[in-house]
Amino acid sequence: MQDELRDHLITQEPYYQPTADEVELYEAAYSVRMPMMLKGPTGCGKTRFVEHMAWKLGKPLITVACNEDMTASDLVGRYLLDADGTRWQDGPLTKAARFGAICYLDEIVEARQDTTVVIHPLTDNRRVLPLEKKGEMVEAHPDFQVVISYNPGYQSLMKDLKESTKQRFGALDFNYPDHETEARIVAHEGGVNEEMAGKLVSVAERARNLKGHGLDEGISTRMLVYAASLIAKNVAPLAACRMALVRPITDDPDMRDALDSAVTTFF
Ligand SMILES: Nc1ncnc2c1ncn2[C@@H]1O[C@H](COP(=O)(O)OP(=O)(O)OP(=O)(O)O)[C@@H](O)[C@H]1O
Ligand SMILES: [Mg+2]
């Protein structure tokens, strides 16, 4: 392994509870270096999954949190001015391509489309990255792979991936796990027993049914883990649920009361 990537190697197994055959499918995709898109709502395990897979495959992981101010240079690199003049510095995408990491572009739709297109030559059979300012053509390392995340709920027509971007990727759908699996995750991550975790999951299931009926997004696994960790610190379950599950997702008093009463059904 190249020194440049040593810091990006994940040495401890990130806990990940599979929900279907996503681990095997991802391994197959990686074996042919297929660029992958992880789709699913916030807090359902996409980031944890890619960390787990990088660990399992023994490959370094470089994560980039995308936003609308991000430019192509932020991904690719730029000349920096220092005492001896100018010096080229690889951006995270270039570093991953050059030395062979998995490059995870989180929330890629947040980036402007003229930024997104820089991944095009890396995500088709060319597997190259032209550094125009430097006049260099970087050939991707055999271990290199691009992974992007995508929340299908959030897109407006203005903010969606170009079809030519989407069609360069294989995609895996993520969602909240089934009751038993999610309870196991919440118990493990939040430090509560499975009975308590199961009740929290039941609250979330109520709220998820209200998605589209006054709620934009259901209660995520991440929120359940928060609530559980408060309970594990001896916060009363009712207060923990109100603070970690209900208040963050709604400003509407009626919806808040409806969710609060769902909480009291279980606690
Ligand atoms: N299948 C799973 N196995 C283990 N932990 C999970 C799983 N799904 C969710 N979690 C827990 O939920 C938390 C949130 O998951 P994660 O950060 O991966 O969400 P995400 O899908 O990347 O969300 P976002 O779109 O907001 O980035 C994790 O920190 C972990 O505790
Ligand atoms: Mg994430």
Side-chain angles (χ1 to χ4, degrees), residues 45-172:
K46 301 181 295 296
T47 297
R48 182 60 68 86
F49 174 72
V50 80
E51 290 168 350
H52 179 82
M53 294 312 300
W55 166 82
K56 194 158 197 260
L57 296 163
K59 303 299 172 199
L61 177 67
I62 296 183
T63 298
V64 185
C66 302
N67 62 65
E68 58 184 9
D69 296 327
M70 197 171 74
T71 61
S73 302
D74 293 329
L75 281 179
V76 164
R78 52 170 57 89
Y79 279 107
L80 296 179
L81 217 55
D82 64 15
D84 318 313
T86 56
R87 178 172 57 86
W88 174 262
Q89 187 179 51
D90 279 345
L93 181 67
T94 308
K95 193 164 145 184
R98 206 189 281 284
F99 302 110
I102 295 172
C103 190
Y104 181 44
L105 303 172
D106 207 355
E107 291 293 335
I108 182 87
V109 282
E110 291 299 324
R112 293 196 316 265
Q113 292 188 344
D114 56 318
T115 308
T116 314
V117 294
V118 307
I119 65 177
H120 280 194
L122 277 173
T123 49
D124 55 35
N125 61 344
R126 291 172 283 173
R127 283 178 63 89
V128 294
L129 179 61
L131 306 179
E132 272 158 32
K133 289 187 185 145
K134 191 166 182 258
E136 182 188 350
M137 185 68 88
V138 177
E139 304 253 350
H141 185 284
D143 289 350
F144 170 74
Q145 184 198 26
V146 177
V147 181
I148 63 178
S149 75
Y150 177 90
N151 184 327
Y154 292 170
Q155 273 63 62
S156 62
L157 218 47
M158 287 305 292
K159 241 191 190 178
D160 196 1
L161 292 177
K162 283 158 93 87
E163 203 57 31
S164 58
T165 306
K166 284 185 186 173
Q167 294 203 11
R168 290 175 143 74
F169 287 82
L172 282 173

Side-chain angles (χ1 to χ4, degrees), residues 14-19 22 40-51 104 106-107 149-151 154 174-175 177 181-182 185-186 188-190 220-223 225:
Y15 167 77
Y16 180 75
Q17 181 70 52
T19 59
E22 69 272 24
T42 182
C44 74
K46 301 181 295 296
T47 297
R48 182 60 68 86
F49 174 72
V50 80
E51 290 168 350
Y104 181 44
D106 207 355
E107 291 293 335
S149 75
Y150 177 90
N151 184 327
Y154 292 170
F174 283 75
N175 217 322
T181 310
E182 192 165 27
I185 295 168
V186 172
H188 178 276
E189 296 284 284
S220 65
T221 310
R222 174 186 294 126
M223 300 178 88
V225 171

Side-chain angles (χ1 to χ4, degrees), residues 34-46:
M34 182 190 283
M36 286 300 292
M37 178 188 316
L38 312 181
K39 302 172 72 168
T42 182
C44 74
K46 301 181 295 296

